Amino acid sequence: PLPNLVLNTIDGEKWSLYENRGRIVLINFWATWCEPCRTETPMLVELGGEYKRRGLEIVGIALDENPALIKKFAAEYKIDYPILLPVSGSALSRIDPVPTTLLIDSEARLVKKYVGALPEKILREDVKKLIEELNSKAGAAK
């Protein structure tokens, strides 16, 4: 598994990867100035709405320095998933290029890394496959 990732949300809450074990986690590194991020954000919001109840947790890690810009972007794009802030100067704050997205399975293992804009069809297939595996495990455990 990946090491635990614990970051503050833009609202000052704590978010932890390990607290989301048992769920599929999609971590999207983005920035307000990134054009492809503007294109893919509505798709991520839609995907989250579709799969949240079935075990998908989407989080965005915003690489902007200005929280006001991040909040404005989040409101404009109706982002309803947690927006995390990397520690300034940390490796996470220097992810390049943006967007970069990590797909993590229910055991906190990295399944796939997407660099650049997400091809919606491929992402949907990958998420659907993991969700189906997760739900069939849950069904078997009952």
Side-chain angles (χ1 to χ4, degrees), residues 26 39 62 77 85 88 123 131 138:
L26 188 76
T39 306
Y77 286 87
L85 301 174
S88 187
L123 178 68
I131 292 284

Side-chain angles (χ1 to χ4, degrees), residues 13-24:
E13 309 277 316
K14 281 253 183 276
W15 184 91
S16 153
L17 178 61
Y18 283 10
E19 282 176 15
N20 284 281
R21 271 197 163 143
R23 297 179 67 78
I24 307 303

